């Protein structure tokens, strides 16, 4: 009769849960629990309160998580380090501490509690639910240690599962959580692809520097996408690119080329030569550029002595200068200024290009009575060397004195526009 009543109540609970299934996400609870629609969770059923004569043979009913226990009426509940307290009413048994014990005072006739736990049945027709995890026995008493139920957690039951959408799974709190296929290794991305987890799914992407072509990741050539990636040459590499510079230059800031000053590092000039650096290289020039009948008077300055008859028809002095310009320089462009170092009273100075301008690449513009500017009027391509003689003629106002000086300018055009 008791079993029939109990099964009837469970059936009513299941029917009630089915009736509300359309409005409540989860209403099915394991044996010994019922759904609390207010708190929206499963709560323990107090069988001692609702089942008449749950225990027989002079035993008393003690409610337990998911079931109840039948103990001798003389038994006491031991709580908190086995400190005795008065018998706890059945309705309060739900809130008992995690470790509870019952001590029998029936003398040496203690019952075999371990057999109870094994069979799950106690005298009087009661039952022990799975929450009773451990039973220990000793002389004249038995101790039952209980695992308290978590009121915030629905008791796990493999037969009661919630339905989750594809890409989600049921968590231990009975909620649907995303499946990280990338971490779990359940994705189908290729070895050359990167798995990116999404909510409820995942996607396969190509690593940086690659693009998806069909089902494969192919290298992006970031060299064919633009001709301005590198100042000189772009080198495509797997997933990236790098910039190279020609000989005589070094890469700076990853993309631009800067001239290497070989005269400050290593060069092959002799002791009687000086090193001159230009854009993309260097050249060696004699430290004494003077040719007979000229003699060296100071650095790069050669003078023809007036005592030498050969010097009467020659410029009085020749000064050697060097400069470098980049290839394909924009024109017109001022590139070099010439200026008199000695000024005589009542004299007139005029400037001209004496030699080295056969193709008309240069123009000399006088800017003052004692100076002039060399102008590049045609774009030059290198590597190439130009030697241009710039002459300053000096005459006095009455025409009784005439002299000239030459500035021999060596212009080295680099092989590149940088």
């Amino acid at each position: 009769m008791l079993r029939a009543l109990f099964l009837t109540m469970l059936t009513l609970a299941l029917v009630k849960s089915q009736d509300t299934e359309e409005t409540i996400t989860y209403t099915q609870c394991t044996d010994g629990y019922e759904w609390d629609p207010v708190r929206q969770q499963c709560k323990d059923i107090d069988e001692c309160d609702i089942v008449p004569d749950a225990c027989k043979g002079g035993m008393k009913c003690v409610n337990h998580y998911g079931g109840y226990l039948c103990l001798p009426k003389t038994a006491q509940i031991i709580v908190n380090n086995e400190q005795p307290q008065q018998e706890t009413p059945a309705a309060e048994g739900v809130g008992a501490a995690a470790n509870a014990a019952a001590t029998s005072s029936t003398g040496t006739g203690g019952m075999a509690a371990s057999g109870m736990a094994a069979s799950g049945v106690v005298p009087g027709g009661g039952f022990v639910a799975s929450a009773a995890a451990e039973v220990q026995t000793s002389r004249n008493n038995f101790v039952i240690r209980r695992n308290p139920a978590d009121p915030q957690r629905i008791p796990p039951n493999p037969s009661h599962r919630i339905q989750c959408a594809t890409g989600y799974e049921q968590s231990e709190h009975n909620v649907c959580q995303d499946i990280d296929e990338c971490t779990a290794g359940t994705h189908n991305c290729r070895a050359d692809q990167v798995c990116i987890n999404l909510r409820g799914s995942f996607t396969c992407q190509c690593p940086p520097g690659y693009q998806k072509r069909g089902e494969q990741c192919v290298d992006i050539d970031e060299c064919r996408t633009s001709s301005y990636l590198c100042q000189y040459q772009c080198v495509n590499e797997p997933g990236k690119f790098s910039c190279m510079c020609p000989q005589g230059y070094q890469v700076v800031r990853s993309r631009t080329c800067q001239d290497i000053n070989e005269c400050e590092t290593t060069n092959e000039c002799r002791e009687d030569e000086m090193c001159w650096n230009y854009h993309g290289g260097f050249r060696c020039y004699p430290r004494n550029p003077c040719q007979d009948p000229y003699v060296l008077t100071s650095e790069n300055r050669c003078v023809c002595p007036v005592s030498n008859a050969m010097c009467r028809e020659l410029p009085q002095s020749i000064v050697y200068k060097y400069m470098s310009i980049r290839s394909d320089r924009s024109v017109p462009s001022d590139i070099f200024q010439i200026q008199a170092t000695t000024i005589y009273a009542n004299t007139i100075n005029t400037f001209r290009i004496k030699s080295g301008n056969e193709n008309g690449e240069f123009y000399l513009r006088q800017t003052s009575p004692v100076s002039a500017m060399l102008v590049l009027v045609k774009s030059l391509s290198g590597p190439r060397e130009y030697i241009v003689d710039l002459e300053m003629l000096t005459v006095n106002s009455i025409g009784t004195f005439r002299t000239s000086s030459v500035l021999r300018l060596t212009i080295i055009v680099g092989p590149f526009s940088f």
Side-chain angles (χ1 to χ4, degrees), residues 24-44:
I24 300 178
T25 304
Y26 188 96
T27 61
Q28 295 179 338
C29 301
T30 57
D31 294 341
Y33 291 83
E34 64 180 359
W35 181 254
D36 187 345
V38 177
R39 300 178 63 185
Q40 290 291 299
Q41 64 181 22
C42 291
K43 67 178 181 178
D44 177 66

Side-chain angles (χ1 to χ4, degrees), residues 14-33:
L14 291 177
V15 172
K16 181 179 179 180
S17 66
Q18 293 175 356
D19 292 338
T20 58
E21 188 173 2
E22 295 180 355
T23 58
I24 300 178
T25 304
Y26 188 96
T27 61
Q28 295 179 338
C29 301
T30 57
D31 294 341
Y33 291 83

Side-chain angles (χ1 to χ4, degrees), residues 154-378:
I154 300 174
N157 190 329
S159 64
H160 297 149
R161 299 182 60 85
I162 59 177
Q163 296 295 324
C164 295
T166 304
Y168 292 84
E169 63 183 356
Q170 180 179 349
S171 70
E172 61 179 2
H173 299 291
N174 283 346
V175 295
C176 292
Q177 63 181 9
D178 173 57
I179 299 175
D180 190 342
E181 295 86 354
C182 300
T183 302
T186 57
H187 61 86
N188 58 355
C189 296
R190 297 167 54 92
D192 58 349
Q193 296 176 339
V194 179
C195 178
I196 305 297
N197 186 61
L198 304 175
R199 290 183 62 85
S201 182
F202 66 94
T203 183
C204 301
Q205 295 184 359
C206 295
Y210 292 82
Q211 62 182 354
K212 198 170 184 180
R213 186 173 298 171
E215 294 298 325
Q216 295 183 343
C217 291
V218 296
D219 176 49
I220 298 175
D221 189 347
E222 294 182 307
C223 294
R224 290 189 177 182
T225 57
S226 175
S227 58
Y228 299 99
L229 292 177
C230 298
Q231 190 172 33
Y232 176 65
Q233 182 178 357
C234 178
V235 179
N236 185 61
E237 298 178 2
K240 61 179 181 178
F241 74 95
S242 61
C243 296
M244 290 185 60
C245 292
Q247 184 178 2
Y249 293 84
Q250 60 185 352
V251 179
V252 293
R253 293 185 295 276
S254 302
R255 300 190 179 190
T256 59
C257 296
Q258 184 182 65
D259 172 57
I260 299 174
N261 190 342
E262 294 86 355
C263 295
E264 295 181 352
T265 55
T266 57
N267 59 79
E268 300 176 355
C269 296
R270 302 191 305 266
E271 289 294 329
D272 60 345
E273 294 177 329
M274 71 172 190
C275 178
W276 180 259
N277 182 74
Y278 66 92
H279 299 290
F282 71 98
R283 294 197 177 185
C284 299
Y285 294 101
R287 294 186 180 275
N288 183 3
C290 302
Q291 298 178 0
D292 189 60
Y294 289 89
V295 295
L296 184 66
T297 59
S298 61
E299 183 179 4
N300 297 333
R301 183 179 180 85
C302 301
V303 175
C304 194
V306 294
S307 59
N308 191 329
M310 297 176 58
C311 295
R312 294 177 183 176
E313 302 298 327
L314 296 175
Q316 180 185 4
S317 64
I318 302 177
V319 177
Y320 291 82
K321 293 291 184 181
Y322 307 89
M323 71 171 297
S324 62
I325 62 175
R326 296 179 176 87
S327 184
D328 302 320
R329 183 168 176 171
S330 59
V331 292
S333 179
D334 295 346
I335 60 174
F336 192 85
Q337 178 175 284
I338 180 175
Q339 185 170 343
T341 57
T342 304
I343 301 176
Y344 299 97
N346 300 321
T347 59
I348 300 174
N349 297 314
T350 59
F351 299 88
R352 67 170 183 167
I353 300 176
K354 186 176 182 180
S355 64
N357 193 32
E358 290 74 17
N359 296 322
E361 296 94 344
F362 308 98
Y363 169 76
L364 191 61
R365 181 181 75 248
Q366 188 162 349
T367 56
S368 75
V370 294
S371 64
M373 177 66 69
L374 182 65
V375 182
L376 178 66
V377 294
K378 289 185 179 181

Side-chain angles (χ1 to χ4, degrees), residues 283 285 383-387 410-413:
R283 294 197 177 185
Y285 294 101
R384 187 172 178 181
E385 181 182 82
Y386 293 84
I387 298 178
T410 300
I411 303 174
I412 307 171
V413 182

